[in-house]
Amino acid sequence: MEKLSLSAGSVHNMRRFLCYRPGGVLMFLCLLAILIFLRSNASPATLHLILKPSNPEPLIPAQVWQLYTTVGPRSTNTTHQNALKATKIAANLAATWFPVDGDWSYQFIGTEFGTQFVKEHFKDQQDIVDVYTSLRVPVMASDFLRYLLLAGDGGVYADSDVEMIKPLQDWVPVPYRNVTRAMIGIEKDHQAKDEPDGWSFRFVQHTLMTAKAHPIMINMVRNITDKMLELSHEKHTTISQLELHDRDVVRITGPRGFKDVVFEHLSREVGESIGWRNVTRITEPKLFGDTLIVPINFFAAGQQHSGSDGASPDKRVQHYWTGTWRHWDESMK
């Protein structure tokens, strides 16, 4: 039995191919009529036309985001030489992401596009737009925008100093691909006397992978907005005029604020309190509802702490820690 198999995606591609050429619409309709005629008149032994449904949408959209914002530095520690160096590194590392694999799309965006994206996607939440457009601290603007991009459209976000090592379609381990809507990596996981409980623990922010409107991203956006408005009210000034300290960055847009939101989501997913002790020193991915927490080597291999191994086969990316914001605030290492 000869069988002709034609997917819905193939029909869609055929329509695009024909309809954008002179006389293409007529050609498409004629071809479709011929196929229908063949299907209705073919004997079972000669021809079957099978219209297959398109593949379902992936849990995590096939979209890569990288950004380079131009919000001014808060001090003169960022030199033109350092900024130029970081820009060159970003351009070189972008080549590892673009062109990306298969059906993945890629966008490297600047401040103007970021502002436009926020205004379009959050037009019904003006307080979010106002806070984002008022921020004047580079690292906070960069942090906030990555959460906004993923909350609005989902996909993969990576800092401009991150190199892709493993193809994107291989990032989520096979057993978890049909359930994972967020994959979060561990960045720090070691003893530290000056940390609560004597342990330093944080999640990766330089590389993030989530579904559109995932609760972690939505809650980060809302928390940042509320905390910035609260701080502005307390100090009786506008957000753009706020004097912000390192501790503000850490607790609002940075690692502490992010860690709290992630653990809150994990706790809701499983119905019990989840903290760093539930994921410390893991060597295999650990699923909490729709969120996959992965070992340190997935997104933070090659560090000089936390048992990180630069040669690990688990490594998805390599982070080079060259963001321009680090030149104005070395305490944020």
Side-chain angles (χ1 to χ4, degrees), residues 51-85:
L51 291 178
K52 297 179 180 178
S54 298
N55 292 331
E57 288 293 320
L59 296 179
I60 298 175
Q63 169 69 54
V64 174
W65 302 97
Q66 290 193 294
L67 60 90
Y68 193 87
T69 57
T70 55
V71 175
R74 77 172 179 184
S75 79
T76 57
N77 292 340
T78 299
T79 65
H80 290 295
Q81 183 179 6
N82 287 333
L84 180 61
K85 177 182 177 182

Side-chain angles (χ1 to χ4, degrees), residues 213-232:
H214 190 275
I216 290 176
M217 296 301 126
I218 293 294
N219 291 336
M220 275 303 297
V221 168
R222 177 42 56 191
N223 280 8
I224 291 169
T225 301
D226 292 346
K227 288 176 180 177
M228 289 302 297
L229 291 172
E230 180 182 346
L231 200 57
S232 174

Side-chain angles (χ1 to χ4, degrees), residues 160-315:
S160 57
D161 57 353
V162 173
E163 177 185 8
M164 181 171 69
I165 302 297
K166 184 167 286 192
L168 288 161
Q169 63 264 29
D170 297 332
W171 277 25
V172 180
V174 174
Y176 306 101
R177 288 182 185 171
N178 293 329
V179 293
T180 298
R181 298 185 66 248
M183 188 163 86
I184 306 294
I186 295 170
E187 184 174 80
K188 279 190 175 182
D189 188 14
H190 62 84
Q191 287 184 333
K193 293 181 180 179
D194 57 343
E195 293 284 344
D197 303 318
W199 202 264
S200 177
F201 186 94
R202 69 170 59 170
F203 291 111
V204 168
Q205 293 172 271
H206 61 71
T207 305
L208 299 164
M209 187 178 201
T210 75
K212 177 179 179 178
H214 190 275
I216 290 176
M217 296 301 126
I218 293 294
N219 291 336
M220 275 303 297
V221 168
R222 177 42 56 191
N223 280 8
I224 291 169
T225 301
D226 292 346
K227 288 176 180 177
M228 289 302 297
L229 291 172
E230 180 182 346
L231 200 57
S232 174
H233 178 74
E234 288 176 358
K235 298 190 176 183
H236 306 287
T237 188
T238 63
I239 290 174
S240 61
Q241 297 297 318
L242 277 172
E243 285 191 21
L244 295 165
H245 303 282
D246 297 338
R247 63 178 178 273
D248 297 317
V249 177
V250 171
R251 75 177 181 87
I252 296 175
T253 67
R256 188 169 303 159
F258 185 59
K259 179 176 68 174
D260 290 345
V261 167
V262 171
F263 280 138
E264 287 168 5
H265 176 71
L266 300 185
S267 299
R268 284 192 298 270
E269 286 291 289
V270 299
E272 62 182 84
S273 179
I274 300 296
W276 66 268
R277 290 182 175 84
N278 299 99
V279 290
T280 184
R281 300 291 184 171
I282 59 173
T283 57
E284 297 291 336
K286 196 168 182 179
L287 188 67
F288 296 84
D290 69 351
T291 300
L292 190 66
I293 304 301
V294 294
I296 195 165
N297 287 326
F298 274 60
F299 291 151
Q303 300 180 102
Q304 301 302 311
H305 58 75
S306 309
S308 175
D309 178 9
S312 171
D314 289 337
K315 183 163 68 172

